[in-house]
Each structure stands twice: as structure tokens, then as C-alpha cells.
């Protein structure tokens, strides 16, 4: 079992739909990161959070430390949101907080 | 633009060869991380440096080595290359080391795409 699991693996949505991507982790973390990887390969950091909720534009990230679960929400989705979204846990302790990655969720938003 | 630069963007080489990938972190960032992204393994952490010193190692092969120089740029050396080393190699930087509360936001470079033939 992977230490960081994401679901779904693939997601197709119509423009305007509300989207949720889930991330569960089994390790102790100091922070949880959400990353966006564009079709060209570039990676952008969307959020880093250790508790509660963060919002940036149409993107919202939440984390429940007790349940070891995080969600990324996209409101009013748009075709330009099409990308791979990657959850990564910053694992404290022996690994010095380095990132353990989920396998990513490939999102395709159709016009 | 993240402020992190990586060169070269693409690299094609043969098995058994050695290559060097270069990364310049964002201005003010002291931590540099190297990651490998392959089709079958996804993203994996390789190694971290903070202010010139190695801080942590991940799934880095013995054939690979890295260093961070006094001007904070970093190089990842890959030797005795094998077909399976073909991947995207990303460098990222942050202000703090990841052991300090997760290290803060990591800013990723555009990556170097390595193809070993």
C-alpha cells in the first residue's frame, strides 16, 4: 500500500462543474502539499497546509489531520484547469520532512 | 516562472555515459531538492541540500551524486547510465530545509528531460 493515495486516478468533467480530488496518507506529516503538473511537464505548487483550509481563487484545499485526509476542490471548473494534480506529504522524522508523492489525478475539463 | 532554472532542458545520451544536470534556485532560497519522475514510478525524492550541505537522501542510486556549491546552485551527476534512467528530473527550492515545519512552499524548475538510448 502506498503511503500517499489519491483518488480518482482520472477525472473528466464538464466546464463549470465542481471538482473534488481526494488524498489519504498513512505517515505522520508536518505538511501536505498540492501540486499541479501541466501537460508540458511543468510543476506548480498550489498549496501547502498543515491544518484547516486554504483558498486561492477557485481552488480550495482542506485537511483533516485526525483522519489523515486532504481534499482539493475546484469551483466553476474551466478547460485551462486540465492538468495532473499531485498530493505530496512532507513526512517528518527520519526522512527529514521530504516529500512522498501520490500518483496523481489526471483532470480533463471539457468545454 | 518559478524563478528556478534548470539546464539543459533536454538531454539525449547513450547507455554507460555520464551527464550533469544543473539547477539554480530561486533568489534567497537555501534549500535545493532533486526529484525524478518516470512513467512507472511517478515522482520520487532523490536528495536535498541546505546551504551547501546534504540534508537528506531518498531513493537515489549509488551511480548518482549531487552537490550544492557556495553560490547555492546545485548539480546532479548521473553516471553509468541505463535505459531505466530515462526520466524527467526536477529541481525545486525553498527557503528552509524540509525538516523545519515542512520547509515551506517548494518552487519547481521546468525540469530536464533525459533520454538514454
Amino acid at each position: 500500500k502506498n503511503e500517499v493515495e489519491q483518488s480518482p486516478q482520472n477525472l473528466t468533467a464538464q466546464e463549470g462543474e465542481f471538482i473534488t480530488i481526494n488524498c489519504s496518507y498513512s505517515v505522520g506529516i508536518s505538511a501536505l502539499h498540492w501540486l499541479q503538473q501541466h501537460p508540458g511537464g511543468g510543476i506548480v505548487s498550489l498549496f501547502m497546509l498543515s491544518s484547516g483550509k486554504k483558498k486561492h481563487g477557485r481552488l480550495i484545499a482542506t485537511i483533516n489531520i485526525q483522519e489523515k485526509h486532504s481534499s482539493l476542490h475546484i469551483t466553476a471548473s474551466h478547460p485551462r484547469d486540465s492538468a495532473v494534480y499531485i498530493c505530496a506529504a512532507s513526512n517528518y522524522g527520519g526522512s527529514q520532512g521530504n516529500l512522498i508523492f501520490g500518483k496523481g489525478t489526471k483532470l480533463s475539463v471539457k468545454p | 516562472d518559478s524563478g528556478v532554472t534548470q539546464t539543459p532542458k533536454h538531454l539525449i545520451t547513450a547507455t554507460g555515459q555520464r551527464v550533469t544536470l544543473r539547477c539554480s534556485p530561486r533568489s534567497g532560497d537555501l534549500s535545493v531538492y532533486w526529484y525524478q519522475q518516470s512513467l512507472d514510478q511517478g515522482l520520487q525524492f532523490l536528495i536535498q541540500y541546505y546551504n551547501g550541505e546534504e540534508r537528506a537522501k531518498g531513493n537515489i542510486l549509488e551511480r548518482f551524486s549531487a552537490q550544492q556549491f557556495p553560490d547555492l546552485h546545485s548539480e546532479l551527476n548521473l553516471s553509468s547510465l541505463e535505459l531505466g534512467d530515462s526520466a524527467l528530473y526536477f529541481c525545486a527550492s525553498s527557503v528552509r530545509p524540509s525538516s523545519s515545519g515542512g520547509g515551506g512552499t517548494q518552487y519547481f524548475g521546468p525540469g530536464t528531460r533525459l533520454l538514454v538510448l
Side-chain angles (χ1 to χ4, degrees), chain A residues 37 41 45 48 96-98 101, chain B residues 37 45 48 56 90 98-99 104:
Chain A
Q37 186 167 27
S45 180
M48 176 186 148
Q96 292 288 319
N98 290 294
F101 296 90
Chain B
Q37 186 178 38
F45 164 70
Q48 178 194 170
F90 288 100
S98 59
S99 56

Side-chain angles (χ1 to χ4, degrees), chain B:
Chain B
D1 184 1
S2 67
V4 179
T5 60
Q6 286 188 251
T7 56
K9 286 188 179 174
H10 302 275
L11 200 46
I12 301 174
T13 188
T15 54
Q17 294 298 304
R18 172 190 166 94
V19 297
T20 297
L21 312 184
R22 183 187 167 104
C23 167
S24 292
R26 223 169 51 117
S27 177
D29 285 357
L30 299 178
S31 279
V32 169
Y33 311 79
W34 284 99
Y35 299 100
Q36 180 193 58
Q37 186 178 38
S38 59
L39 281 175
D40 54 343
Q41 296 286 335
L43 268 165
Q44 291 192 94
F45 164 70
L46 295 179
I47 197 164
Q48 178 194 170
Y49 282 84
Y50 177 74
N51 204 19
E53 293 192 3
E54 181 185 303
R55 288 298 291 249
K57 273 186 173 179
N59 298 321
I60 188 166
L61 299 171
E62 285 191 14
R63 300 183 284 108
F64 296 1
S65 65
Q67 59 184 125
Q68 186 180 27
F69 294 87
D71 67 352
L72 301 177
H73 91 272
S74 178
E75 292 180 357
L76 179 67
N77 300 296
L78 316 177
S79 61
S80 303
L81 284 167
E82 301 175 0
L83 296 177
D85 298 327
S86 297
L88 257 174
Y89 291 84
F90 288 100
C91 163
S93 72
S94 68
V95 173
R96 306 187 303 273
S98 59
S99 56
S100 171
T105 297
Q106 292 192 20
Y107 296 87
F108 285 77
T112 292
R113 192 174 295 273
L114 173 67
L115 181 59
V116 183
L117 300 174

Side-chain angles (χ1 to χ4, degrees), chain A residues 4 8 10 17 22 24-27 34 36 40 42 55 57 61 76-77 90 93 97 99-100 103-104:
Chain A
V4 179
N10 293 283
E17 284 186 359
N22 295 300
S24 296
Y25 53 92
S26 58
V27 295
W34 281 101
Q36 180 192 54
K55 184 175 190 291
S77 60
S90 182
L99 296 184
I100 304 170
K103 297 217 179 282

Side-chain angles (χ1 to χ4, degrees), chain A residues 91-110:
Chain A
N91 182 17
Y92 65 66
S95 65
Q96 292 288 319
N98 290 294
L99 296 184
I100 304 170
F101 296 90
K103 297 217 179 282
T105 295
K106 186 173 182 180
L107 171 65
S108 178
V109 182
K110 306 291 186 189

Side-chain angles (χ1 to χ4, degrees), chain A residues 39-73:
Chain A
I43 296 176
V44 174
S45 180
L46 298 175
F47 296 103
M48 176 186 148
L49 64 167
S50 52
S51 65
K53 176 179 171 177
K54 285 191 176 180
K55 184 175 190 291
H56 182 69
R58 296 179 294 106
L59 301 178
I60 303 165
T62 63
I63 189 167
N64 184 318
I65 298 294
Q66 287 73 30
E67 294 186 4
K68 294 190 172 180
H69 181 268
S70 176
S71 292
L72 176 68
H73 306 285

